[in-house]
Amino acid sequence: MKLNKYIHFIACDADDLDEFIETFSTSNDDYLAEIDGNKCIEIENLYSEFQKTFQFPDYFGCNWAAFDECLNDLDWINAKSYILIVRDMDKILPEDDVSFNLLLKYLRIAVTEWTEGRNYDDFPTKETPFHLYLHSSKENKNELYNRLQPLINNS
């Protein structure tokens, strides 16, 4: 299911997701990032996974403001487009709906700021494709779809 041109929902088993990931170009122009939801049960782990995956600078403060700032900067990554695949999104922050909804908010903001470009602050950006793929198993797709309602309603 496609929520908009850049936000996608995928329900499939792990092998099918691996095959899907292999279809992406591995050129130097694309930055392919994968987050494993199984490693993001707690907020600290989520921050750590994003920090590693996107090579956030050492000054990353492990809070939502810093997350937003770093995800919308990425000037340390030389790419003409970004592809973020969140494997097992349904496993992320299962006991923390407030933080899960904040994650959705900041992912949506990142997609918007990258795809529309930004002409404010000290760090303007040009329009850059930023695709977000949110994955769950077929068995958990309805649960994840329900948790994604804040994202769906704002897309």
Side-chain angles (χ1 to χ4, degrees):
M1 175 179 79
K2 190 182 282 192
L3 302 180
N4 70 31
K5 183 177 177 181
Y6 295 99
I7 302 175
H8 316 270
F9 176 63
I10 305 170
C12 62
D13 65 29
D15 290 337
D16 289 340
L17 182 62
D18 290 337
E19 287 180 27
F20 174 73
I21 292 170
E22 288 175 13
T23 66
F24 287 105
S25 164
T26 56
S27 76
N28 291 337
D29 293 342
D30 301 321
Y31 187 80
L32 179 62
E34 185 178 342
I35 297 290
D36 184 350
N38 291 298
K39 295 180 180 178
C40 301
I41 305 300
E42 302 290 333
I43 190 71
E44 297 80 13
N45 304 108
L46 179 128
Y47 289 140
S48 176
E49 284 300 302
F50 272 87
Q51 184 175 20
K52 284 187 278 188
T53 301
F54 282 102
Q55 305 162 22
F56 288 172
D58 291 338
Y59 63 79
F60 172 62
C62 293
N63 59 63
W64 289 117
F67 180 86
D68 179 43
E69 179 182 325
C70 287
L71 196 56
N72 287 298
D73 183 351
L74 301 180
D75 68 349
W76 51 87
I77 298 174
N78 186 21
K80 292 186 180 175
S81 70
Y82 300 93
I83 302 162
L84 171 57
I85 299 169
V86 183
R87 181 184 294 266
D88 293 318
M89 180 78 177
D90 53 299
K91 303 290 194 267
I92 290 181
L93 303 171
E95 303 298 322
D96 189 349
D97 288 337
V98 171
S99 292
F100 185 84
N101 288 335
L102 286 169
L103 171 64
L104 295 180
K105 171 186 172 181
Y106 290 115
L107 289 174
R108 181 180 45 78
I109 288 170
V111 168
T112 301
E113 286 199 12
W114 280 108
T115 59
E116 294 179 2
R118 181 178 65 222
N119 288 317
Y120 61 89
D121 273 343
D122 295 331
F123 305 102
T125 61
K126 61 182 180 177
E127 294 178 11
T128 305
F130 192 113
H131 288 275
L132 173 62
Y133 292 89
L134 306 175
H135 165 263
S136 80
S137 65
K138 290 179 184 178
E139 297 79 27
N140 295 336
K141 72 179 182 181
N142 290 335
E143 176 186 334
L144 178 56
Y145 185 78
N146 289 335
R147 287 188 82 198
L148 292 177
Q149 287 306 306
L151 180 67
I152 293 167
N153 294 334
N154 288 312
S155 292

